Amino acid sequence: KLQEAQARLKEVQDKIHRLESEFNAAIKKQTELQDDMKMCEVKLERAHKLIGGLGGEKARWGQNVKVLTQQLTLLPGDCVVAAGMVSYAGPFNAEIRTECETHWLKELDKEGITHNEDCTTRSVLGEPVKIQQWVVYTLPNDALSIENAIIID
């Protein structure tokens, strides 16, 4: 009888050990799933923020398209002034260059060619970052010096 009781006790202990192992595995799996769920919630929240941010970008890009489309119609007139300045006005001083620019703008208006109101060599051909870099490297920040640098560049 003792051996029988010991055998049954061993069976029960083995079953308890097996059930504890299964329980620990289930707890581990539960913890992993909870961690995955938290990570998914974080990702979902980030995705919502990104989509919201991109919605604002869509509006901004739409506005940029409108502005650029409008500026595209002004480009031929702007290019005429810039080409004239680069081709003909290079050797002259600032006063004569301004006169040339003003004269060409009046002629464009007379011919019905559209252009930006503030059309200058600097506004058409100048790159603001490059101009700022030239100024940092001690180029005088006057129109004549900037135009000369644009023509040489």
Side-chain angles (χ1 to χ4, degrees):
K1 267 184 148 180
L2 180 61
Q3 286 179 344
E4 244 180 62
Q6 285 178 339
R8 284 189 60 196
L9 178 63
K10 181 163 175 38
E11 285 177 20
V12 170
Q13 285 177 339
D14 288 346
K15 187 174 182 179
I16 290 173
H17 181 65
R18 185 174 39 85
L19 290 173
E20 283 179 345
S21 296
E22 289 175 5
F23 176 76
N24 289 336
I27 294 293
K28 182 179 176 186
K29 177 94 172 163
Q30 178 187 10
T31 304
E32 289 173 0
L33 290 173
Q34 286 174 337
D35 291 344
D36 287 348
M37 186 177 74
K38 287 177 186 175
M39 185 61 78
C40 286
E41 288 173 352
V42 168
K43 287 180 181 179
L44 184 62
E45 183 180 333
R46 289 178 184 165
H48 283 296
K49 286 180 182 178
L50 180 62
I51 289 170
L54 291 176
E57 284 297 304
K58 180 182 178 186
R60 189 177 68 83
W61 277 87
Q63 182 63 30
N64 279 350
V65 167
K66 287 179 186 176
V67 169
L68 291 173
T69 302
Q70 183 181 23
Q71 287 181 348
L72 186 62
T73 61
L74 306 175
L75 192 58
D78 292 355
C79 288
V80 167
V81 173
M85 291 296 288
V86 170
S87 299
Y88 300 111
F92 300 113
N93 63 23
E95 184 180 322
I96 294 175
R97 286 183 184 184
T98 304
E99 289 175 15
C100 288
E101 227 169 40
T102 304
H103 176 71
W104 289 329
L105 289 172
K106 286 179 184 175
E107 288 297 316
L108 288 174
D109 289 338
K110 194 162 80 174
E111 296 297 324
I113 300 173
T114 57
H115 57 84
N116 276 307
E117 290 301 315
D118 61 341
C119 178
T120 62
T121 305
R122 183 178 184 160
S123 68
V124 177
L125 298 176
E127 298 174 36
V129 173
K130 193 177 277 190
I131 292 170
Q132 185 61 38
Q133 192 176 28
W134 292 335
V135 171
V136 167
Y137 291 139
T138 68
L139 178 73
N141 197 10
D142 61 281
L144 181 66
S145 299
I146 301 286
E147 287 175 1
N148 286 340
I150 289 170
I151 291 169
I152 290 171
D153 189 46

